[in-house]
Amino acid sequence: MTIPERYPSRLLEDAVQAIGSLPGVGKRSALRLALHLLRQPEENVRHFAGAIVKLREEAKYCRICRMISDEDVCSICSDRSRDPKTICVVENVRDVMSIENTGQYHGVYHVLGGIISPIAGVGPSDLTIASLVERVREMTSSPAAIPTEVEVILALSGDVEGETTSFYIFRQISGFGVRVSSLARGLGFGDDLEYADELTLGRSITGRQPFRP
Amino acid sequence: MTIPERYPSRLLEDAVQAIGSLPGVGKRSALRLALHLLRQPEENVRHFAGAIVKLREEAKYCRICRMISDEDVCSICSDRSRDPKTICVVENVRDVMSIENTGQYHGVYHVLGGIISPIAGVGPSDLTIASLVERVREMTSSPAAIPTEVEVILALSGDVEGETTSFYIFRQISGFGVRVSSLARGLGFGDDLEYADELTLGRSITGRQPFRP
C-alpha cells in the first residue's frame, strides 16, 4: 500500500507534516493523529497545543543538577531530606524519573543531557560534564571538606557510549579524591539464565554476592 | 520496569498528559516526545502547535462530499474534469487519499465520517448517510435525469461493520434506480494462495475473470 500523499487540504497537510516531524511518528500515524485531533473539541486541541508550547517556553533547567524544573533549583536539589553529597549522574530526566520510582535512592542527581557519541556528533562539550566537574570541585575545595564523603554514581547505560562517557567523567573527577561508583550489573530479577547474554551473565558471576536467605 | 510517574516539573507533566491523550501514544512515548520538543527551537515548537490548532479551527468540510477541505467545496468536487455522476462512498479522508494515490479513479467521493458500529455506539445518524441519500435523490429527481447513469461505489472495508454499512446504504438508495457497486474482492497482487484466508480465496474463485495475457 502506498503512503497517502495527495492531501485534500493544505491545513491537514501542514498539521500532518508537523506531527510527522516527531521522532518515531510516521506519515501514516501522523495523518491518523491529525484526523483524531480534528474530531476533538476545539478547547481540547487548544489545551493540547498550549501545554506543549508552555513547556518549551517556560521550562527551566535546575542550576545545580541541570534537570528540567519549574524553578531555578529543582524540587530534588531543594529537598533538605536528600543527601547532597551523593550525586547520581544520569543521561536524561527520564532516567531520573525511573530511579525516583524505585524509591531506593535518596541522594541528588546530575543530568548530562545526553551521552558522548561520536557517531551522533555528541561530544563532552555538548553535555553538562563541565558543570558536574565544577560542582565536584566546589564540594571538595573548602579546607573542611572530606572528599571521600562525596560519592558520584555513574548511572549510565551499559553500552559503548555509556561506558565511554563514564570513563571520560571518571578521568575528570578522579583527581578530587571523591568516591566514584557505577550501577551494579547482572541478571535482572525474574531473568532466565538461559536467555541472558554472555556479558551480563559473566558479570553476574564475577560480581557474585553473599547469599542472603 | 515501572512507568515513570513522579515528574520533576508540572510543565513537563502537563505536556506529557496532553501528548499521552493521543490514541496509541503511551505514557512513555509521550514523555519521550515531550523531551524531544523541549530540545527543539522555540520557533519550531510554536509552528508545531500552531499547525494543529489551525487545522482544528479552520478546516471545513466540503458541503457536497463532506471531505475535509480548505474551501466550502473541496478540490475534488470542484474539479470539472472529474465525473460527478460516479460517487465513491468511503469511511474517511484517509480512504480518499489512498484511492487518489492509485490514480485509477476519476469520479467524486462521499465521506461517511465513520462506519456503522453498534459496539462503538456509531449509528447511521452519526454519519453523513442522510446527506448522501439527499445527494442521490437530487441527482435523480429532475425529469431529464437518467438514474442508471449515476453509479454509487460502496468502497467500505470488508469486515462486518463495512458490510453492514454498505447494506444499510444500499437499502436507502436502491429505490432511486442508480447503479450500486462495491469494490472487487480477491487475492491481492503478489499474494500467496497458500496464505490467503478462505473467504478471500473463495471470492477470488467465484468472482474469477477472463484471463488477459
Side-chain angles (χ1 to χ4, degrees):
Chain A
M1 217 194 242
T2 31
I3 292 163
E5 266 164 27
R6 298 187 204 176
Y7 292 86
S9 149
R10 163 64 76 168
L11 292 166
L12 180 63
E13 185 169 5
D14 288 349
V16 169
Q17 259 168 9
I19 298 171
S21 72
L22 296 173
V25 179
K27 238 180 180 174
R28 192 174 287 271
S29 301
L31 177 57
R32 195 172 47 83
L33 292 175
L35 294 174
H36 166 83
L37 286 164
L38 195 56
R39 285 192 304 268
Q40 304 310 305
E42 220 167 293
E43 186 46 41
N44 294 18
V45 176
R46 262 197 294 265
H47 172 83
F48 170 85
I52 288 166
V53 170
K54 214 171 163 208
L55 170 69
R56 180 61 187 84
E57 287 181 349
E58 297 180 17
K60 298 167 185 172
Y61 292 90
C62 171
R63 66 175 162 76
I64 299 174
C65 74
R66 310 293 164 169
M67 179 165 67
I68 175 176
S69 166
D70 295 345
E71 310 294 333
D72 281 345
V73 174
C74 76
S75 53
I76 293 176
C77 286
S78 55
D79 182 347
R80 306 297 289 275
S81 75
R82 317 266 316 203
D83 172 15
K85 289 188 171 172
T86 305
I87 302 173
C88 183
V89 178
V90 293
E91 186 177 338
N92 56 43
V93 67
R94 276 181 292 165
D95 298 334
V96 172
M97 291 167 69
S98 294
I99 294 173
E100 285 300 287
N101 280 332
T102 68
Q104 301 290 311
Y105 181 65
H106 308 289
V108 294
Y109 293 93
H110 194 88
V111 180
L112 293 179
I115 201 130
I116 297 175
S117 169
I119 293 169
V122 180
S125 61
D126 299 312
L127 309 175
T128 65
I129 293 177
S131 88
L132 170 65
V133 173
E134 180 56 24
R135 193 175 165 189
V136 174
R137 199 190 60 73
E138 268 178 26
M139 288 173 80
T140 54
S141 62
S142 87
I146 304 168
T148 52
E149 276 181 357
V150 176
E151 180 179 4
V152 175
I153 305 169
L154 300 171
L156 303 175
S157 55
D159 54 13
V160 176
E161 276 110 353
E163 298 281 359
T164 304
T165 309
S166 291
F167 187 65
Y168 182 88
I169 293 171
F170 175 75
R171 283 202 312 185
Q172 302 271 312
I173 60 173
S174 59
F176 298 115
V178 298
R179 286 183 291 147
V180 182
S181 56
S182 67
L183 292 182
R185 307 272 180 207
L187 278 189
F189 283 99
D191 274 7
D192 201 324
L193 227 76
E194 192 178 347
Y195 300 112
D197 65 288
E198 287 167 22
L199 217 62
T200 301
L201 191 55
R203 289 224 202 175
S204 273
I205 291 170
T206 56
R208 63 191 177 278
Q209 290 159 348
F211 184 65
R212 276 178 299 219
Chain B
M1 216 193 241
T2 31
I3 293 163
E5 267 165 25
R6 298 189 204 174
Y7 291 86
S9 150
R10 163 65 76 170
L11 292 165
L12 180 64
E13 185 169 4
D14 288 349
V16 169
Q17 258 169 10
I19 297 170
S21 72
L22 296 173
V25 180
K27 239 182 180 173
R28 191 173 287 272
S29 302
L31 177 57
R32 194 172 49 82
L33 293 175
L35 294 175
H36 166 83
L37 287 164
L38 195 56
R39 285 193 304 269
Q40 304 311 303
E42 218 167 293
E43 187 45 41
N44 293 19
V45 176
R46 262 196 294 266
H47 173 82
F48 170 87
I52 288 167
V53 170
K54 216 171 160 207
L55 170 69
R56 180 60 188 83
E57 286 181 346
E58 296 179 17
K60 298 168 184 168
Y61 292 91
C62 171
R63 67 175 162 73
I64 299 173
C65 74
R66 307 295 164 167
M67 180 164 67
I68 175 176
S69 167
D70 295 344
E71 309 295 332
D72 282 344
V73 173
C74 76
S75 53
I76 294 175
C77 284
S78 56
D79 182 346
R80 305 296 289 275
S81 74
R82 317 263 322 200
D83 172 14
K85 289 187 171 171
T86 306
I87 303 173
C88 183
V89 178
V90 293
E91 186 177 338
N92 56 45
V93 68
R94 278 182 290 166
D95 298 335
V96 172
M97 290 167 70
S98 294
I99 294 173
E100 285 300 287
N101 278 332
T102 68
Q104 300 290 312
Y105 181 66
H106 309 288
V108 293
Y109 293 93
H110 194 90
V111 180
L112 294 180
I115 201 130
I116 297 174
S117 169
I119 292 168
V122 179
S125 61
D126 299 311
L127 310 175
T128 65
I129 294 177
S131 88
L132 170 65
V133 174
E134 179 57 23
R135 193 175 165 190
V136 174
R137 199 189 59 73
E138 267 177 26
M139 289 173 80
T140 54
S141 62
S142 88
I146 304 167
T148 52
E149 278 182 355
V150 176
E151 179 178 4
V152 175
I153 305 169
L154 300 171
L156 302 175
S157 54
D159 54 13
V160 177
E161 275 110 355
E163 298 281 356
T164 305
T165 309
S166 290
F167 187 64
Y168 182 88
I169 293 172
F170 175 75
R171 282 201 311 184
Q172 301 272 310
I173 60 174
S174 59
F176 298 116
V178 298
R179 285 182 292 147
V180 182
S181 56
S182 65
L183 292 182
R185 309 272 180 206
L187 279 189
F189 282 99
D191 276 7
D192 200 324
L193 228 76
E194 192 180 346
Y195 301 112
D197 66 287
E198 288 168 22
L199 216 61
T200 301
L201 191 55
R203 289 223 203 177
S204 271
I205 292 170
T206 56
R208 63 192 178 276
Q209 290 159 348
F211 185 65
R212 275 177 299 219

